[in-house]
Amino acid sequence: SKPLDYENLNENVKKCQYAVRGELYLRASELQKEGKKIIFTNVGNPHALGQKPLTFPRQVVALCQAPFLLDDPNVGLLFPADAIARAKHYISLTSGGLGAYSDSRGIPGVRKEVAEFIQRRDGYPSDPELIYLTDGASKGVMQILNVIIRGQKDGILVPVPQYPLYSATIALLGGSLVPYYLEETENWGLDLFNLRQSVANARSQGTTVRAMVIINPGNPTGQCLSEANLRQVLSFCYENNLVLLADEVYQQNIYQDERPFISARKVLMGIGPPMSNELQLVSFHTVSKGYWGECGQRGGYFEMTNISPETVDEIYKVSSIALSPNVPAQIFMGLMVNPPKPGDISYDKFITESKGILESLRRRARIMTDGFNSCRNIVCNFTEGAMYSFPQIQLPARAIEAANRAGKVPDVFYCLKLLEATGISTVPGSGFGQKEGVFHLRTTILPAEEEMPEIMASFKKFNDDFMDQYEEDHHKAYSRM
Amino acid sequence: SSSETMASDYSSTPVKISTINPKVLECEYAVRGEIVTLAQKLQQHLDKNPGSHPFDEIVYCNIGNPQSLGQQPITFFREVLALCDHPAILDKSETQGLFSTDSIERAFQILDQIPGRATGAYSHSQGIKGLRDTIAAGIEARDGFPSDPNDIFLTDGASPAVHMMMQLLIRSENDGILCPIPQYPLYSASIALHGGTLVPYFLDEATGWGLRISELQNQLDAARSKGIDVRALVVINPGNPTGQVLSEGNQKEIVHFCKKENLVLLADEVYQENIYVSDKQFHSFKKVARSLGFGETDLSLVSFQSVSKGYYGECGKRGGYMEITGFSPEIRDQIYKVASVNLCSNISGQILASLVMSPPKVGDESYESYFAEKDAILSSLARRAKTLEDALNGLEGVTCNRAEGAMYLFPRIELPKKAIEAAKAVDTAPDAFYARLLLNATGIVVVPGSGFGQVPGTWHFRCTILPQEEKIPAIVNRLTEFHQGFMDEYR
């Protein structure tokens, strides 16, 4: 037998699953190679679906890549003066340009910009020394979970449904996922009773619950937590001695006005001592989402609150093994937290581009939600934030039987058929977790606005045909308005 | 600052030193360890109090970070990267006045391989297919044996790829990985983080850091007799910190050894373009295996490459790849799955990796300037390697093997008994003691040999060859003066 084969592979790797690029995606890729037109809505990847990069950051980073341009008298023909100034500024903050390893925590000047952003956003000071830049938020999440998880007895509270980075990482690290179910009928709200029960259950089985993950705005669910919700979460963590991991990567993606984004840290600081001095919190952000959508850069950060200096040193040590996060993405992060201001040459264009994207996302969130809800067997909560729609698909008994016969989980069965019929590549709800016997799929709201009506029409046709095929006759008269 | 309002007592918090993952506590990484923290403090003090130290600046010789010490990037590569970062200017006529024609062509070619020219989109989790095609072609041109783009996984530098392999291989502390001593401490740190056991094999300093199969065999057998399941062999070629370039004969023995003992060969080849001696050449382990007649299924081999080293030195970009050959389809699926959790590596780094493996050719418009830049960097590195090697060998009690490749010198110091006792008295390893005194006297930052591993009772430090050439004489003078003073005090 080979030195590395399935039999002698690390069991944790076997257990790890990541549906976002799992079975459906692989099948979609195969079909694409065969020439079928595929609409990839499996991952929050705006630029892959036609969203254009913001102009200003690309100008700045291009200049940083090729600093000899800055010496060329004709550079002003292609680049505006404020981009040129910014590029010079960022180069001066590096330890030798984009090609040198930076401080393992990230360029100090950029971390300072992040701290200033957090202060402006929340109204409370933030310490750049406790902000670490990472190659994407995912790497930061993995790093923090690796610090927390000692073994199988360490449990991490994770919302169901969740973005499967959490389940995959917990599996890889050999920890235990302690699920807490969001309540779909209450707009994917927090169910404190369920939360308490989950913790009690886990503890009764010998698990030490160490941390709680919240994703706000939610992925795949899109809900935006209210201040009251956040207070409940913080109190819960405080009472139960949990570190709160606040995934806030979608904080710019808000599509309703009742619940604007509030950071967990702001609420914590607002509560005041003793909790604000004692509750441990790690907050995550990225350049991949929002209206930036710069997924390919791999830029992110985490901010630590109330983590002891000795532990911070250990986290620094682990960061240093990776030497440094990629420098271009650090500059994207600096630009994101410190964008053009009124009066800057590039300000108007920047605002026009940004607003255009956000307003379109808001419209697309509505188009998609309404499109799903127009189907008789589908209930879809409105996408309040983030980039996804997570409709609940009621599957008839005969469809479930057909799925079982095909050896597929019912929502996988449905999504595969959807893919074959329409080219729409989604991720089955089972990839995110859901209540037993309840099925969903996750799609993104990212396809171009002009294509949305056609995509939703194509989906509806497939769904109605599917229902005609599998529904019991006496149910066909039912329709959901 | 917010630290003033934080609890000074963390005893009731869930995440504290006594409750964090013990593997995190155990792992170490000296390259950015204690000596660097001291250096940074000195730097801050120096900035605030000019003239307060016998030196004007800190010279960081602890880390292979060429561009932080003034090495310039390769112009052609940066032209292409800038155009790929901002494709909107490609169609403008002014662009032709600012960029070389072939860099514009290459940018178009690369962008055509990216759907929608979207360099801001997550790519395929192994990296953009067209770029992998280019890299595979580059590997084939280098080795004379075909390379399959599906075997290539582009990563944020070579280090994440190493971590990925350790994660796959290590099930428990009963799984062992053979590592050279001295080694680049990514390996020891990664093994510790993944809960495995490092099985050391000692390189032979007396024979230019030679790798003896008998030593490999002895260490392997000893580990097995202790119940360790030895899974893989790490070979760093050219070596870090040791700089030796393996002979082809040696490499053949290693390939046979891995086959015989059923080990995965983890070949760290990130310094493949850093060779400074005319009597040695780089041969990839894949080439050696294929030329021995080892086919795809005959050897499990992972080859690591990076954009951080060579003559390009693009550390901050985090670009690299691993080429995996000789693994079953099930394992390849598992590797893909793990790679997919992180979605993909940064696109700019992917593009750079393809440029490194497929640089301008003779006849291309940029070829001459590209070649001039490359040659200047490599010949300067070779000169600096020699100058520093000679200087170190001129010091009392110091012997230094030549740097055949890579970016480091790893001299051995015979520390006098008095120095060793003085070190013990302040609870410091003798080589760290020396490094600290060196730093305080000269501002030069080196990494104590204990950070890399060494034969017990011997002392070394690793110093890079990267400070700018014009600064080398001053560095040599300060080092020599310090060492003489040190020996005078402790002889």
Side-chain angles (χ1 to χ4, degrees), chain A residues 20-288:
Chain A
V20 172
R21 279 201 166 168
E23 183 182 356
L24 252 299
Y25 171 73
L26 293 169
R27 180 72 188 126
S29 305
E30 262 169 42
L31 288 170
Q32 188 184 47
K33 276 193 200 126
E34 290 166 21
K36 189 175 172 71
K37 178 172 193 285
I38 303 293
I39 303 148
F40 285 98
T41 71
N42 59 306
V43 63
N45 198 9
H47 294 199
L49 290 158
Q51 182 176 310
K52 296 273 165 269
L54 299 168
T55 306
F56 185 72
R58 291 307 189 97
Q59 291 171 328
V60 174
V61 176
L63 286 166
C64 292
Q65 278 289 9
F68 46 79
L69 290 174
L70 294 168
D71 300 325
D72 193 308
N74 289 324
V75 66
L77 295 173
L78 277 177
F79 297 90
D82 54 353
I84 293 169
R86 253 334 176 105
K88 286 183 177 160
H89 167 71
Y90 282 117
I91 290 173
S92 75
L93 294 179
T94 65
S95 353
L98 298 192
Y101 293 126
S102 71
D103 183 307
S104 298
R105 298 162 290 192
I107 297 166
V110 174
R111 288 154 57 218
K112 184 158 169 287
E113 284 183 305
V114 173
E116 287 163 1
F117 153 76
I118 292 169
Q119 174 146 4
R120 282 193 308 273
R121 181 193 69 192
D122 294 347
Y124 297 98
S126 172
D127 185 353
E129 293 299 296
L130 296 173
I131 293 167
Y132 285 22
L133 306 182
T134 52
D135 284 314
S138 297
K139 287 258 167 87
V141 167
M142 290 178 183
Q143 205 181 320
I144 296 298
L145 284 173
N146 186 44
V147 167
I148 296 170
I149 295 173
R150 296 164 295 188
Q152 211 196 352
K153 289 210 151 94
D154 281 332
I156 311 289
L157 271 165
V158 175
V160 180
Q162 48 99 42
Y163 174 53
L165 164 69
Y166 295 95
S167 45
T169 303
I170 293 165
L172 280 172
L173 296 173
S176 290
L177 190 152
V178 180
Y180 68 92
Y181 286 81
L182 301 175
E183 184 44 64
E184 186 162 12
T185 59
E186 302 286 336
N187 202 33
W188 295 115
L190 198 63
D191 176 353
L192 258 182
F193 179 71
N194 178 269
L195 189 52
R196 289 190 206 286
Q197 259 199 323
S198 298
V199 172
N201 263 348
R203 284 175 175 160
S204 71
Q205 285 162 28
T207 299
T208 308
V209 185
R210 304 290 307 281
M212 177 172 179
V213 174
I214 58 168
I215 309 172
N216 180 39
N219 176 6
T221 47
Q223 85 285 17
C224 297
L225 295 177
S226 66
E227 185 168 348
N229 277 160
L230 285 164
R231 283 172 166 268
Q232 282 179 317
V233 167
L234 288 162
S235 298
F236 183 81
C237 289
Y238 193 51
E239 283 156 26
N240 288 280
N241 207 30
L242 308 174
V243 56
L244 179 60
L245 306 179
D247 178 337
E248 299 175 332
V249 302
Y250 295 101
Q251 57 186 269
Q252 290 172 357
N253 300 102
I254 311 290
Y255 311 126
Q256 41 70 38
D257 302 316
E258 292 77 37
R259 272 176 305 287
F261 173 74
I262 310 174
S263 78
R265 191 163 186 278
K266 178 175 175 176
V267 178
L268 175 62
M269 291 301 136
I271 288 171
M275 202 196 285
S276 60
N277 286 344
E278 292 174 15
L279 182 72
Q280 296 187 309
L281 166 66
V282 186
S283 313
F284 301 90
H285 198 10
T286 182
V287 303
S288 299

Side-chain angles (χ1 to χ4, degrees), chain A residues 1-11 13-18 20-21 25-26 43-45 47-48 55 58-59 61-62 64-69 72 74-75 77-79 95-96 98-104 125 127 130 135 138-139 142 146-150 163 165 168-169 172 210 241-243 265 277-278 280 288-289 293-298 306-311 314 316-318 320-328, chain B residues 1-3 5-7 10 12-29 31-32 40 63-65 67-69 75 78-79 81-82 84-87 89 92 94-95 97-99 118-125 156 159-160 163 165 167-171 184 186 189 193 231 262-264 297 300 308-309 313-318 326-328 330-331 334 336-338 340-348:
Chain A
S1 72
K2 285 191 187 292
L4 176 60
D5 218 333
Y6 199 76
E7 292 73 47
N8 56 28
L9 173 67
N10 179 0
E11 288 299 318
V13 171
K14 292 182 199 175
K15 286 184 201 151
C16 152
Q17 297 298 325
Y18 185 70
V20 172
R21 279 201 166 168
Y25 171 73
L26 293 169
V43 63
N45 198 9
H47 294 199
T55 306
R58 291 307 189 97
Q59 291 171 328
V61 176
C64 292
Q65 278 289 9
F68 46 79
L69 290 174
D72 193 308
N74 289 324
V75 66
L77 295 173
L78 277 177
F79 297 90
S95 353
L98 298 192
Y101 293 126
S102 71
D103 183 307
S104 298
D127 185 353
L130 296 173
D135 284 314
S138 297
K139 287 258 167 87
M142 290 178 183
N146 186 44
V147 167
I148 296 170
I149 295 173
R150 296 164 295 188
Y163 174 53
L165 164 69
T169 303
L172 280 172
R210 304 290 307 281
N241 207 30
L242 308 174
V243 56
R265 191 163 186 278
N277 286 344
E278 292 174 15
Q280 296 187 309
S288 299
K289 310 300 178 192
E294 291 279 11
C295 303
Q297 309 301 339
R298 314 318 277 112
N306 295 330
I307 308 287
S308 73
E310 296 84 18
T311 303
E314 293 296 319
Y316 181 15
K317 180 180 72 177
V318 174
S320 74
I321 300 168
L323 285 154
S324 100
N326 91 73
V327 177
Chain B
S1 84
S2 58
S3 57
T5 56
M6 277 200 293
Y10 292 87
S12 63
T13 58
V15 177
K16 52 186 186 274
I17 279 295
S18 56
T19 63
I20 65 171
N21 181 357
K23 294 179 241 169
V24 167
L25 291 171
E26 198 192 306
C27 82
E28 285 172 334
Y29 186 70
V31 173
R32 275 194 162 171
Q40 285 165 343
I63 181 173
N65 195 12
Q67 294 190 29
S68 74
L69 291 166
T75 304
R78 291 302 190 91
E79 286 182 295
L81 289 171
C84 291
D85 273 335
H86 190 35
I89 62 173
K92 300 216 162 117
E94 294 93 333
T95 302
L98 285 166
F99 291 84
T119 53
Y122 293 126
S123 71
H124 186 288
S125 295
D156 291 304
S159 300
H163 283 301
M165 290 313 301
Q167 180 152 68
L168 288 153
L169 285 162
I170 297 172
R171 296 163 293 185
Y184 172 53
L186 163 69
L193 279 172
R231 306 293 307 275
N262 207 32
L263 303 171
V264 176
T297 54
S300 297
S308 300
K309 312 300 178 189
E314 296 275 24
C315 302
K317 301 300 182 61
R318 312 319 277 117
F327 293 92
S328 66
E330 293 82 24
I331 287 296
Q334 294 292 323
Y336 172 84
K337 181 178 72 175
V338 173
S340 76
V341 178
N342 193 49
L343 285 151
C344 72
S345 65
N346 85 77
I347 306 303
S348 186

Side-chain angles (χ1 to χ4, degrees), chain B residues 127-271:
Chain B
I128 292 158
K129 177 61 168 44
L131 298 178
R132 286 185 278 128
D133 290 341
T134 303
I135 291 169
I139 293 170
E140 182 166 350
R142 180 195 69 196
D143 293 349
F145 291 96
S147 170
D148 184 346
N150 294 322
D151 290 345
I152 294 168
F153 286 75
L154 284 155
T155 48
D156 291 304
S159 300
V162 170
H163 283 301
M164 220 190 290
M165 290 313 301
M166 295 304 177
Q167 180 152 68
L168 288 153
L169 285 162
I170 297 172
R171 296 163 293 185
S172 74
E173 63 189 356
N174 290 327
D175 281 326
I177 311 287
L178 274 159
C179 286
I181 299 296
Q183 47 98 45
Y184 172 53
L186 163 69
Y187 293 96
S188 45
S190 189
I191 292 165
L193 279 172
H194 292 98
T197 295
L198 190 153
V199 179
Y201 66 91
F202 289 85
L203 300 175
D204 185 18
E205 187 160 13
T207 58
W209 297 113
L211 197 164
R212 290 159 301 154
I213 299 297
S214 56
E215 165 67 4
L216 281 181
Q217 191 72 63
N218 289 341
Q219 295 292 357
L220 174 68
D221 294 342
R224 281 178 175 160
S225 70
K226 288 190 218 139
I228 308 270
D229 188 349
V230 183
R231 306 293 307 275
L233 168 66
V234 173
V235 180
I236 310 172
N237 183 44
N240 177 5
T242 46
Q244 87 286 16
V245 177
L246 295 173
S247 71
E248 211 175 340
N250 216 179
Q251 288 182 277
K252 288 180 181 172
E253 290 179 301
I254 291 165
V255 168
H256 282 301
F257 179 77
C258 287
K259 176 72 180 168
K260 168 171 153 282
E261 301 293 349
N262 207 32
L263 303 171
V264 176
L265 177 53
L266 301 173
D268 178 337
E269 299 178 329
V270 303
Y271 294 101

Side-chain angles (χ1 to χ4, degrees), chain A residues 353-390:
Chain A
E353 288 174 349
S354 310
K355 273 202 175 140
I357 290 165
L358 280 176
E359 285 165 4
S360 173
L361 283 168
R362 190 180 268 236
R363 289 191 296 269
R364 283 179 274 170
R366 182 45 72 192
I367 294 171
M368 204 162 230
T369 305
D370 291 349
F372 284 128
N373 279 319
S374 75
C375 300
R376 64 184 188 273
N377 59 318
I378 298 182
V379 177
C380 188
N381 284 335
F382 177 60
T383 296
E384 299 189 337
M387 284 179 177
Y388 311 97
S389 191
F390 198 64

